[in-house]
Amino acid sequence: MGAERGKNIEQYANFVIMLLIGIGIGVLAVVVSAILGPKKASRTKLMAYESGNDPEHGGVGTGQRFPVHFYLVAMLFIVFDIETAFFYPLAVAYQKLVPFAFFEALTFVLLLLVGYVYVLKKKVLEWA
Amino acid sequence: MPDWLAAALITLLKAFLVAFALLTTFAYMTLVERKLLARMQIRYGPNRVGPMGLLQPLADAIKSIFKEDVNVTLADKLVYTLAPIVAIGMALSAFGGLPAGPENSLFGEDPWVYNLNAGILALLALTSMGVYGIFLGGWASGSKYPILGGLRSSAQMISYELGMGISLLGLLMLVGTTSFQGIVLWQAQNGWLILFQSLGFALFLLSAFAETNRTPFDLPEAEQEIVAGYLTEYSAIKWALFQMAEYVNMITASAVMSTLFFGGWKGPQFLNGIIPGISEWPIIWLVVKIAFFLFLFIWVRATLPRLRYDQLMRFGWKLVLPVALANTMVTAAFLAYRGSGGLWFLAVLSLAGLVALLVLSDRVRSLWNTPTIRREDEAVLPRTRPAGGD
């Protein structure tokens, strides 16, 4: 058990190394490009894209508002992703727990389906 | 040199190799994609720079490094710079967990960078992090088109990530482990999982197309839609890093599909009769399978029109999600009550689901639904020859 656990921790260390390499390559590319490229900034060049006009309601923190749909989708995603997170352990251990686990899973899915149908009926998922 | 240091150095080397291989594949993927698209449209692709255009990726890379790195005035400087780094970092590290061969087969080392026993969870977590790169990049640009593009793109990606996660549940119930190596070994014993989870695979494939922002779901970055989405204000290498992340995600998705559904690094067993041990050769089989899926990505891009945004979201929430849940529950019921029935019955069930899905799809339905002529149309048509004249 101890050796197994040590091996696992080693794999997580490897994971961190891979992550560092990935991010390091990104940093390197950005730095190299910042050094090598020409630097001739001008006011027009630094303007935001808006066909030559100054953008209205454009910038960060100018209080532009967005359709509430995006928030709703994000919240639904959180709910259903938590469902997935609960389902993963059940799925992995499923064959040891049948047939009892089947009813557990069914109850869980049915409860979520009630919420899903409610969301459908409320037309949250309509984008017209 | 202590043991742990040697092991860490080897991992470092492997991580470098994986990242380098991914970046080279990305570079040549752009060339192959342009060439294949060209051939599908009966024209030549890039063929001027180098023999057969083989130096084109190099020329593109040099160009994008020596371009001016414009930081627009309205941008949030720190986040604007960090976003592409996050995108590429997560994309590159997601690939390292996939096994490319049996243990100790890479000159005595393991042919993977890390082998977590929660492999699939780590992969899904990394792809979720990729969404941050895209959304924050759009937000930090400080202009409304990128913000809208980033919002749309992140909403799309999280919606399909849900379908992706749930379409794997049936598979996990069958194999009972989340480690990639374990899944490959299960398939070596029982047959490729595409047989038993064809419906799950179809949903996973659809989600993978949407996850990587590829056609027909590529509207977050399509030039005809809101300018070019979250990429609008990016230039030089930062723009290239986003593209790189997309292509690397595509390669990763191909590798994941090969590993989960097509037997991973193991080749077909019957070839062992011709050349002994060929199905155990590391890397080569995985590369072949990845190449097949990459070709599929390009083929679809050349073939299908793009969806509208509302169609895209409807498809993800009203089709992929419920069908994936249904697939999970059917697999669960089968495993709970299969009695003496073998796995083949699950294969039949899954295939039936897939066929039902195909038959109900708009494209197939339109084959026997003759378009109805409405009364209004008929009124427009002239009934008789106009009076008078000759």
Side-chain angles (χ1 to χ4, degrees):
Chain A
M1 193 65 206
E4 181 76 7
R5 207 165 147 188
K7 210 156 184 211
N8 251 326
I9 288 172
E10 191 185 300
Q11 294 300 336
Y12 279 93
N14 293 346
F15 176 75
V16 172
I17 291 176
M18 183 80 229
L19 204 61
L20 288 179
I21 293 281
I23 292 174
I25 283 176
V27 172
L28 189 74
V30 168
V31 168
V32 166
S33 170
I35 293 171
L36 289 182
K39 290 171 211 54
K40 297 196 192 86
S42 70
R43 207 188 75 81
T44 359
K45 200 187 270 177
L46 296 184
M47 262 167 73
Y49 172 83
E50 189 70 48
S51 308
N53 303 321
D54 272 328
E56 287 176 33
H57 310 299
V60 177
T62 49
Q64 188 190 8
R65 311 220 282 180
F66 296 100
V68 73
H69 263 124
F70 293 114
Y71 299 88
L72 290 177
V73 164
M75 281 198 279
L76 286 179
F77 166 72
I78 292 173
V79 171
F80 281 96
D81 214 33
I82 289 175
E83 182 219 338
T84 323
F86 279 130
F87 230 124
Y88 269 104
L90 180 65
V92 171
Y94 187 75
Q95 299 218 28
K96 292 170 198 147
L97 304 174
V98 288
F100 171 68
F102 175 65
F103 293 103
E104 291 283 295
L106 195 64
T107 318
F108 188 51
V109 168
L110 284 180
L111 280 175
L112 266 155
L113 272 185
V114 173
Y116 180 73
V117 170
Y118 178 75
V119 167
L120 273 190
K121 291 280 173 204
K122 280 279 178 186
K123 298 201 164 54
V124 173
L125 302 174
E126 305 290 333
W127 286 77
Chain B
M1 193 155 58
D3 270 357
W4 63 268
L5 190 64
L9 280 179
I10 287 171
T11 311
L12 199 67
L13 188 68
K14 280 195 288 190
F16 254 123
L17 273 178
V18 164
F20 185 72
L22 279 175
L23 294 182
T24 319
T25 317
F26 148 72
Y28 277 91
M29 239 331 255
T30 56
L31 177 71
V32 169
E33 175 165 33
R34 288 169 71 185
K35 283 214 162 242
L36 277 175
L37 282 179
R39 297 319 302 217
M40 288 174 189
Q41 294 162 356
I42 322 181
R43 59 187 171 87
Y44 297 109
N47 59 0
R48 299 286 140 165
V49 191
M52 298 189 300
L54 281 176
L55 294 181
Q56 182 74 43
L58 202 63
D60 286 341
I62 291 171
K63 183 200 75 175
S64 69
I65 284 180
F66 283 95
K67 277 265 185 184
E68 179 170 3
D69 195 6
V70 178
N71 288 304
V72 285
T73 340
L74 289 176
D76 183 311
K77 290 280 178 317
L78 179 67
V79 183
Y80 183 73
T81 316
L82 276 180
I85 297 174
V86 170
I88 187 70
M90 298 307 145
L92 283 178
S93 32
F95 194 89
L98 294 158
E103 270 181 73
N104 305 325
S105 65
L106 191 79
F107 309 113
E109 298 299 324
D110 295 337
W112 55 74
V113 182
Y114 56 88
N115 180 28
L116 309 183
N117 44 14
I120 291 182
L121 294 177
L123 189 99
L124 288 174
L126 283 172
T127 48
S128 305
M129 290 294 288
V131 181
Y132 280 99
I134 284 176
F135 176 69
L136 290 178
W139 175 82
S141 298
S143 166
K144 62 181 154 195
Y145 296 109
I147 294 184
L148 270 175
L151 266 175
R152 288 169 74 157
S153 183
S154 47
Q156 164 185 347
M157 285 173 86
I158 60 175
S159 302
Y160 281 89
E161 205 172 286
L162 210 52
M164 204 176 215
I166 296 181
S167 63
L168 286 181
L169 285 174
L171 181 151
L172 288 178
M173 283 179 177
L174 273 174
V175 297
T177 171
T178 48
S179 103
F180 288 116
Q181 195 71 336
I183 293 172
V184 171
L185 294 180
W186 190 92
Q187 293 181 87
Q189 282 173 4
N190 300 294
W192 289 1
L193 272 160
I194 173 82
L195 296 172
F196 314 117
Q197 286 289 312
S198 46
L199 184 58
F201 169 70
L203 296 171
F204 191 86
L205 184 72
L206 287 172
S207 311
F209 273 87
E211 260 311 275
T212 50
N213 294 331
R214 292 291 296 184
T215 355
F217 308 112
D218 66 338
L219 61 171
E221 55 190 53
E223 278 149 29
Q224 299 92 329
E225 311 270 337
I226 43 171
V227 197
Y230 58 91
L231 291 170
T232 308
E233 302 285 6
Y234 278 95
S235 58
I237 202 77
K238 289 183 198 153
W239 182 87
L241 282 180
F242 274 121
Q243 291 293 332
M244 226 182 260
E246 180 194 325
Y247 276 82
V248 171
N249 276 332
M250 223 163 93
I251 300 166
T252 310
S254 308
V256 170
M257 284 188 278
S258 325
T259 305
L260 294 185
F261 294 97
F262 285 85
W265 50 264
K266 283 214 182 233
Q269 306 280 334
F270 64 87
L271 285 179
N272 282 337
I274 305 166
I275 307 169
I278 191 172
S279 75
E280 297 282 329
W281 288 0
I283 299 177
I284 175 163
W285 291 110
L286 190 67
V287 169
V288 168
K289 289 166 189 173
I290 290 177
F292 167 74
F293 278 109
L294 289 179
F295 176 74
L296 187 72
F297 273 103
I298 298 169
W299 190 9
V300 167
R301 177 170 179 192
T303 312
L304 290 180
R306 185 176 295 139
L307 268 72
R308 234 169 37 217
Y309 192 68
D310 62 320
Q311 293 171 330
L312 172 96
M313 297 302 282
R314 204 170 62 210
F315 191 72
W317 281 97
K318 295 192 181 171
L319 192 126
V320 174
L321 178 66
V323 176
L325 265 182
N327 178 49
T328 309
M329 289 321 292
V330 167
T331 312
F334 167 79
L335 286 176
Y337 294 104
R338 69 168 153 187
S340 59
L343 279 172
W344 60 268
F345 185 61
L346 186 63
V348 174
L349 272 182
S350 193
L351 204 61
L354 186 62
V355 169
L357 203 65
L358 284 177
V359 168
L360 290 176
S361 74
D362 283 350
R363 255 158 213 276
V364 179
R365 252 188 326 189
S366 65
L367 288 182
W368 63 72
N369 277 358
T370 44
T372 45
I373 299 174
R374 290 166 298 166
R375 192 159 287 177
E376 300 92 87
D377 300 336
E378 234 164 51
V380 174
L381 295 171
R383 286 278 165 85
T384 48
R385 289 174 57 201
D390 58 353

